[in-house]
Amino acid sequence: MSYQVIARKYRPQTFADVVGQNLVTDTLKNALQTNRVAHGYIFSGGRGVGKTTTARILAKALNCFAGPTIEPDGTCPSCLEIAAGNSVDVQEIDAASNRGIDEIRELREAVRYLPSRDRYKIFIIDEAHMLTTEAFNALLKTLEEPPPRSLFILATTEGHKLPPTIQSRCQHFAFRLLDYTEIYDRLRCVAEEEKIAAEEGALSALAQAAEGSLRDALSLLDQVIAACGERLDEKRVRQVLGAAPTELLAGIVRAIDAADARGVLERVGQLATEGYELAHFCGELTRFGRDLMIARSCGAESPLLQVPDDQRRQLGELAGLFSEEDLSRFFNILLRTESEMRYSLVPRFHLELALMKLVHARR
């Protein structure tokens, strides 16, 4: 049997398994319990936060042989087919590759017929913002007055691109990005299930690199397990991710405090020699600068800092070297530099110039 990646293996199968979207799942459960399920939903939010997964769980809750129920059993033929993606009455449509008016006309023809076996005929349209204007217009009447026992779920990463006429016909749920603690806790549980010994710093690096996407975090975990085996140490994981060590970032901050231009430039040379992507490093340094600003203004124990405990102490110590005005100025310079480096042919020059500005910013 072929290997199943971690992101699919640990995909939530019930509302209780969905991480970090309690407002959405609680509302859907209440709708099921009170028989107030709408005929159309829009699930919007960043990548990998549970939109399509929640749509599948809602489909299982409605069509489960023991339902409708807020806890589908996951063992009946309907639940198993929906989880496998081959249910006759639950169709998943990729709007990125089926975006034209002809595909929507076929959908309108299919929705006219009653479900073959289950209670509801459900259409999950993924990346719905990719549909053409003509396709959206063809869908309007069906969304406004759908046939009985039919349900539409539009999942999108760019909800603002959906026409107002579509949005007004559906209930809209915004899925939020997950915070550091939620992703870290889930990674730790998965590592334990997979019998992987992972250092706290290694999981922390993965949680930070995921930038709010649990699916990205699990995919990265799969990658570092392939690279490191059954033991994940922080140094090796950061090398695989291309993430600079925290001590290197702290060293640059100390060199800036000491106005050590040579030390700063030598560290940039070290990064280039070791093969780090400088634009990515600038992004890491920008986030580090933001954390310093938060630690200086709100304290190192602030929940706004999504970092492990040992790094909180380090941030508190480094933030004490500068004033709030200094750190705000540093953050502004780094943000502007990160933007410029995206389109630069010589990103190293931009990074070196920015760091020299930081060294002399207090003047």
Side-chain angles (χ1 to χ4, degrees):
M1 183 177 178
S2 60
Y3 172 70
Q4 187 176 36
V5 297
I6 285 176
R8 292 185 60 193
K9 182 177 179 180
Y10 291 94
R11 191 171 196 167
Q13 300 299 323
T14 65
F15 287 121
D17 294 337
V18 178
V19 178
Q21 309 297 344
N22 292 341
L23 180 60
V24 175
T25 55
D26 288 347
T27 304
L28 293 175
K29 287 192 289 186
N30 289 337
L32 286 163
Q33 290 174 322
T34 57
N35 195 28
R36 299 181 68 87
V37 177
H39 63 266
Y41 290 99
I42 296 172
F43 291 170
S44 67
R47 68 185 189 277
V49 295
K51 301 182 298 297
T52 307
T53 293
T54 303
R56 287 186 179 182
I57 294 171
L58 178 58
K60 289 196 290 185
L62 288 168
N63 286 341
C64 179
F65 283 15
T69 173
I70 62 172
E71 295 181 356
D73 57 29
T75 58
C76 67
S78 179
C79 288
L80 292 173
E81 289 174 8
I82 292 170
N86 55 19
S87 173
V88 175
D89 293 319
V90 178
Q91 297 183 28
E92 291 191 32
I93 302 165
D94 176 21
S97 53
N98 299 281
R99 60 194 302 264
I101 191 171
D102 292 336
E103 287 84 356
I104 297 302
R105 283 173 176 162
E106 291 177 8
L107 185 152
R108 287 171 54 193
E109 287 298 315
V111 79
R112 291 169 52 192
Y113 301 100
L114 290 173
S116 300
R117 177 195 63 198
D118 298 333
R119 294 182 192 85
Y120 289 88
K121 186 177 282 288
I122 299 173
F123 298 89
I124 301 172
I125 305 178
D126 213 355
E127 301 301 334
H129 63 276
M130 298 292 288
L131 291 175
T132 63
T133 302
E134 294 78 10
F136 276 126
N137 290 337
L139 191 59
L140 285 177
K141 191 63 177 177
T142 304
L143 274 179
E144 185 174 12
E145 297 178 3
R149 299 170 65 185
S150 63
L151 176 67
F152 290 86
I153 304 174
L154 281 63
T156 173
T157 54
E158 301 183 49
H160 62 280
K161 290 188 177 181
L162 300 184
T165 48
I166 293 289
Q167 296 189 40
S168 67
R169 288 164 168 80
C170 302
Q171 291 187 14
H172 191 166
F173 290 94
F175 285 64
R176 67 179 182 86
L177 292 174
L178 277 64
D179 65 32
Y180 166 85
T181 304
E182 291 168 329
I183 294 178
Y184 177 88
D185 290 344
R186 184 60 178 158
L187 287 174
R188 182 170 49 78
C189 291
V190 171
E192 290 174 357
E193 288 286 331
E194 293 289 309
K195 304 294 190 293
I196 301 297
E199 293 181 0
E200 180 183 355
L203 296 181
S204 175
L206 291 169
Q208 290 174 326
E211 297 182 342
S213 170
L214 183 56
R215 183 180 62 211
D216 285 8
L218 294 175
S219 297
L220 290 172
L221 177 62
D222 226 344
Q223 179 181 343
V224 298
I225 290 174
C228 306
E230 296 183 353
R231 180 170 183 80
L232 306 183
D233 67 88
E234 181 178 2
K235 182 178 179 180
R236 178 63 172 157
V237 166
R238 285 188 174 276
Q239 287 177 336
V240 173
L241 297 177
T246 305
E247 280 307 314
L248 179 58
L249 296 170
I252 287 181
V253 171
R254 292 191 180 96
I256 291 170
D257 175 57
D260 181 7
R262 176 177 177 178
V264 166
L265 294 177
E266 285 178 348
R267 284 177 171 84
V268 175
Q270 176 189 344
L271 288 167
T273 302
E274 294 179 1
Y276 284 94
E277 185 181 347
L278 296 182
H280 179 70
F281 170 77
C282 185
E284 289 186 87
L285 187 58
T286 303
R287 282 188 288 274
F288 197 74
R290 179 260 182 192
D291 289 344
L292 288 173
M293 187 175 66
I294 295 297
R296 186 70 176 85
S297 302
C298 306
E301 300 305 317
S302 170
L304 295 174
L305 289 176
Q306 300 188 359
V307 296
D309 291 339
D310 59 340
Q311 195 171 334
R312 286 179 184 274
R313 291 189 293 272
Q314 184 184 57
L315 286 170
E317 172 197 335
L318 293 173
L321 300 175
F322 305 95
S323 67
E324 289 186 19
E325 291 80 2
D326 288 335
L327 293 172
S328 298
R329 193 178 303 117
F330 295 170
F331 190 36
N332 184 39
I333 292 171
L334 289 170
L335 276 175
R336 190 162 56 246
T337 304
E338 184 181 5
S339 178
E340 292 170 352
M341 289 179 70
R342 293 175 187 169
Y343 309 103
S344 174
L345 297 177
V346 280
R348 178 171 179 172
F349 293 175
H350 285 274
L351 180 59
E352 289 175 336
L353 177 60
L355 291 175
M356 289 301 290
K357 286 180 181 179
L358 297 184
V359 168
H360 300 293
R362 283 173 166 171
R363 297 184 182 179

